[in-house]
Amino acid sequence: MSVFMDLNLSFTAERSRLKTLIETAAHLGFSTVAINYVFEPATKKKQEIPTPTPIKELIDELPVVQGRYRPIRVLNRLTVVMSDSSHFRPNAAEYRCFDLLSVQPTTEKLFHAACMIYDVDIICISVTEKLPFFFKRAPVNGAIDRGVVFEVSYSAAIRDSTRRRYTIANAISLMESCKGKNVILSSAAEKPLELRGPYDITNLGLLFGLSDRDAKEAVSSTCRSVVLHAETRKSASGIVYTMKTCSESSSQQEAPPADSGEAPAAKRAKLHLTD
Amino acid sequence: MRRADTKNEPAVYRRVVLKNASPYHYMKVCLVLEDESTRLSAVDLKQFIVTGLKSLYGEVGAALTFDLLKYDEDSLTALLRVYSRGLVKLWSSLTLLGSYQNQTCAFRVLQVSPFLLALTGNSRELQLD
């Protein structure tokens, strides 16, 4: 069985709070967490896409995961809240700084595009409002074929009871379409007390209409496949990976191709498998 | 398993699977509060859990019988006993409990087992020297 992951911890500028959040996650038994930066483009003015703070600057010493005696792994993740198709720029260089890329579509058209076309890892399901559209089987199946996963976050359900209703209702409606496949459960926690242990979340998954097995996979192996999917995004079809080496230390290698950009240019995988 | 007798018959194996043989499940939970100086009595704790059950499952859920077997007021650690049928309900309501008297709180489920004896020790805190 693969290790537990929580791929959504809300980023806060307060370093001490983020530190306790990561420590709590490690104590609860999560081996990998992702710090989530939310980017919500407004229609009028142009906004900056946030840049991730390097993990080393955030936290000096990574806490040890309970029961595994190795330090926790921390990733960076960007969530783009989309209300218009121009909000997601497929080739933006800013997206490359993040390990994981997710979108939260707010209309049915965008949901369809996110499932079928966009090169993302995670599609967030809104849990704070009544579902504005119905999950159709075709785009959901397309997303499952492409390895994109759907995310349901549970901390809104802990905060108040109205959102709890929406969370459960939206989650169940999603499970009807995807039959429990390619779903991850994550916290979206801002405070350490909003985090729950992996087995608690597994149990909560049963409430969302997942089976025993799918609920456990939603915090472990599906999360792992997301992280691997994110790695293939940075490489050419998931096979070739380019990285800059220090020019002196690797003199025995052949001359690297002319590359002036700071990030290695990766060949993009063919996306239109389902068309 | 039936023991193979001393006769010359070939040994007959019978696989016995007990599914949910235990009527009860036992949970060891710890309540973590934002303000660590808050004290709860055992009655308060049980009332709090019942409130959580009621807010998630309504009156029918609040009718779920569970027992608070042991409670340590200093560490806010409790041992709960619940019918195996009601485990998912109780556990999920504990998970979704987020505030106690307007302060955030969290139930940390430390151990769950169908056997009370299993809760005497925790293999995750075992130090192998």
Side-chain angles (χ1 to χ4, degrees), chain B residues 20-74:
Chain B
N20 298 333
S22 167
Y24 292 109
H25 264 72
Y26 300 88
M27 307 176 81
K28 194 177 192 178
V29 296
C30 175
L31 179 63
V32 183
L33 290 162
E34 199 177 21
D35 175 19
E36 284 166 6
S37 60
T38 316
R39 286 280 149 262
L40 267 87
S41 69
V43 179
D44 290 340
L45 185 81
K46 178 146 188 187
Q47 180 60 35
F48 181 46
I49 296 174
V50 169
T51 323
L53 271 171
K54 196 169 175 178
S55 71
L56 189 61
Y57 291 103
E59 288 287 351
V60 181
L64 183 76
T65 46
F66 71 96
D67 303 295
L68 190 70
L69 296 185
K70 198 178 171 191
Y71 175 58
D72 179 24
E73 280 192 33
D74 298 321

Side-chain angles (χ1 to χ4, degrees), chain A residues 11-234:
Chain A
F11 173 76
T12 44
E14 266 180 78
R15 277 185 52 177
S16 59
R17 191 197 271 186
L18 205 58
K19 189 163 178 274
T20 51
L21 206 58
I22 292 172
E23 278 170 357
T24 314
H27 179 71
L28 288 171
F30 289 105
S31 294
T32 305
V33 292
I35 298 172
N36 187 26
Y37 297 73
V38 180
F39 173 54
E40 193 165 3
T43 44
K44 293 283 186 294
K45 56 181 185 288
K46 201 165 160 66
Q47 283 168 297
E48 290 278 306
I49 296 175
T51 46
T53 323
I55 307 301
K56 280 177 194 158
E57 285 177 27
L58 283 176
I59 186 162
D60 308 318
E61 197 185 350
L62 291 172
V64 172
V65 179
Q66 185 211 20
R68 291 189 69 84
Y69 307 108
R70 63 180 67 164
I72 192 169
R73 184 172 163 217
V74 185
L75 305 171
N76 286 309
R77 163 185 165 176
L78 178 72
T79 300
V80 184
V81 182
M82 297 171 69
S83 48
D84 188 82
S85 58
S86 65
H87 291 162
F88 182 80
R89 288 178 291 151
N91 289 319
E94 290 91 336
Y95 294 163
R96 282 208 199 122
C97 324
F98 291 93
D99 297 310
L100 294 163
L101 186 57
S102 61
V103 290
Q104 183 174 341
T106 48
T107 63
E108 179 157 19
K109 220 172 175 182
L110 291 172
F111 179 75
H112 193 279
C115 286
M116 306 299 277
I117 301 163
Y118 291 159
D119 195 9
V120 294
D121 308 310
I122 302 169
I123 296 171
C124 300
I125 304 302
S126 163
V127 291
T128 51
E129 56 185 356
K130 190 170 177 293
L131 210 60
F133 52 87
F134 179 74
F135 297 116
K136 286 206 181 121
R137 201 47 84 67
V140 169
N141 284 346
I144 291 172
D145 288 344
R146 293 174 57 220
V148 179
V149 302
F150 301 98
E151 178 194 56
V152 179
S153 58
Y154 63 84
S155 73
I158 294 172
R159 281 182 211 135
D160 76 276
S161 85
T162 322
R163 288 184 186 176
R164 181 182 301 171
R165 281 207 303 273
Y166 291 139
T167 306
I168 296 174
N170 295 359
I172 287 177
S173 143
L174 172 71
M175 301 319 164
E176 277 172 7
S177 308
C178 73
K179 293 183 228 150
K181 297 285 172 299
N182 283 37
V183 176
I184 62 171
L185 296 172
S186 64
S187 65
E190 285 165 6
K191 290 184 250 173
L193 285 180
E194 287 168 356
L195 274 171
R196 294 293 184 267
Y199 295 100
D200 297 356
I201 301 166
T202 308
N203 186 69
L204 197 64
L206 302 178
L207 219 67
F208 293 160
L210 289 166
S211 68
D212 277 314
R213 182 193 158 158
D214 291 334
K216 198 157 187 185
E217 284 183 350
V219 280
S220 57
S221 51
T222 314
C223 292
R224 180 171 175 270
S225 65
V226 177
V227 174
L228 293 176
H229 184 263
E231 279 175 22
T232 64
R233 208 159 34 81
K234 290 182 182 170

Side-chain angles (χ1 to χ4, degrees), chain B residues 14-125:
Chain B
R14 190 172 57 173
R15 190 170 160 215
V16 180
V17 180
L18 295 175
K19 276 192 177 168
N20 298 333
S22 167
Y24 292 109
H25 264 72
Y26 300 88
M27 307 176 81
K28 194 177 192 178
V29 296
C30 175
L31 179 63
V32 183
L33 290 162
E34 199 177 21
D35 175 19
E36 284 166 6
S37 60
T38 316
R39 286 280 149 262
L40 267 87
S41 69
V43 179
D44 290 340
L45 185 81
K46 178 146 188 187
Q47 180 60 35
F48 181 46
I49 296 174
V50 169
T51 323
L53 271 171
K54 196 169 175 178
S55 71
L56 189 61
Y57 291 103
E59 288 287 351
V60 181
L64 183 76
T65 46
F66 71 96
D67 303 295
L68 190 70
L69 296 185
K70 198 178 171 191
Y71 175 58
D72 179 24
E73 280 192 33
D74 298 321
S75 58
L76 297 175
T77 308
L79 252 169
L80 305 177
R81 181 179 73 170
V82 66
Y83 281 109
S84 298
R85 207 179 303 131
L87 177 73
V88 171
K89 277 188 178 180
L90 181 67
W91 195 349
S92 55
S93 71
L94 289 179
T95 307
L96 290 178
L97 268 175
S99 68
Y100 174 71
Q101 292 177 349
N102 297 324
Q103 59 169 313
T104 51
C105 74
F107 269 104
R108 302 281 179 232
V109 179
L110 305 175
Q111 281 171 288
V112 181
S113 172
F115 307 107
L116 189 55
L117 189 68
L119 303 191
T120 51
N122 190 347
S123 60
R124 290 176 195 214
E125 289 163 2

